[in-house]
Amino acid sequence: MTKRLVVVLSLVLVGASCVPAETSAYRRTPGPTSGAAAGSVAPGGIQREPTDLPILPGEDAVVSAFARAGMPVRMIGASKFEGTLGSVRPARVFTAATTWGAGGADVLFLDEPIGDVRVCTTPSTIPRWTINTIFVSGRQVDRSEGGQLVFFSVGQGYFVQAWDEKTSDALRQGLGLDAPPC
């Protein structure tokens, strides 16, 4: 190999290591983990990831909503969607599965009313992808494009991004949420 080719390949490898493996704005969170990095199991049988993840007020209501739907929560994790509504709010990801990425929802906990929340979903130029634009009181606060279908819900104390219809239905019924209008 020539020196120039080695330098180019080295730069490509360094650049590739700086790019997340999955760049979709709606990658389920947290990402898959190895058994060694798995969170601890709380006394109620719910694994938390990371293990020292603080318990938020409102988590019990979400866990109860899952349970009433026959979907006991198995894992609670940190969420990367804390800033989805324009300012940072406490959030968690919940799943009734035993592994991340098998359904569930990101739940933002709203300690005070935030105004009129609207979510508009439109087709993307990429086949089978959608663009989700979130507005709070008429101001656009988030716009994401991805191939993952997302079910949005909002209500007193919660904003939910569910990754499957069953979870969405469970949280809408259990927490008294509705689909936000566009």
Side-chain angles (χ1 to χ4, degrees):
M1 256 190 238
T2 68
K3 243 184 178 179
R4 184 176 181 182
L5 181 58
V6 170
V7 169
V8 169
L9 288 174
S10 296
L11 289 174
V12 168
L13 288 174
V14 168
S17 68
C18 296
V19 176
E22 188 175 341
T23 58
S24 169
Y26 280 96
R27 181 180 68 80
R28 293 181 179 106
T29 55
T33 60
S34 68
S40 67
V41 177
I46 300 173
Q47 180 178 316
R48 296 186 72 81
E49 192 176 312
T51 57
D52 60 348
L53 185 69
I55 296 172
L56 298 175
E59 281 187 23
D60 284 343
V62 175
V63 170
S64 293
F66 269 89
R68 282 191 302 276
M71 305 167 50
V73 171
R74 302 238 173 126
M75 298 188 338
I76 299 173
S79 172
K80 70 176 185 179
F81 292 110
E82 292 175 326
T84 296
L85 295 178
S87 61
V88 176
R89 296 182 187 336
R92 294 289 180 260
V93 62
F94 296 81
T95 184
T98 56
T99 60
W100 293 117
D106 271 277
V107 178
L108 278 76
F109 297 92
L110 310 175
D111 53 356
E112 57 188 47
I114 60 167
D116 180 44
V117 177
R118 295 180 179 270
V119 179
C120 298
T121 301
T122 56
S124 170
T125 57
I126 302 169
R128 296 185 307 275
W129 280 43
T130 57
I131 299 169
N132 296 302
T133 308
I134 301 172
F135 300 90
V136 174
S137 298
R139 184 175 65 91
Q140 180 180 327
V141 295
D142 192 62
R143 182 176 188 275
S144 302
E145 185 171 0
Q148 171 72 43
L149 183 59
V150 180
F151 298 86
F152 295 91
S153 301
V154 66
Q156 181 78 23
Y158 304 94
F159 177 78
V160 173
Q161 300 173 89
W163 311 116
D164 59 277
E165 194 169 7
K166 184 176 179 183
T167 298
S168 177
D169 290 346
L171 294 177
R172 284 180 183 176
Q173 288 180 341
L175 299 173
L177 307 176
D178 294 304
C182 177

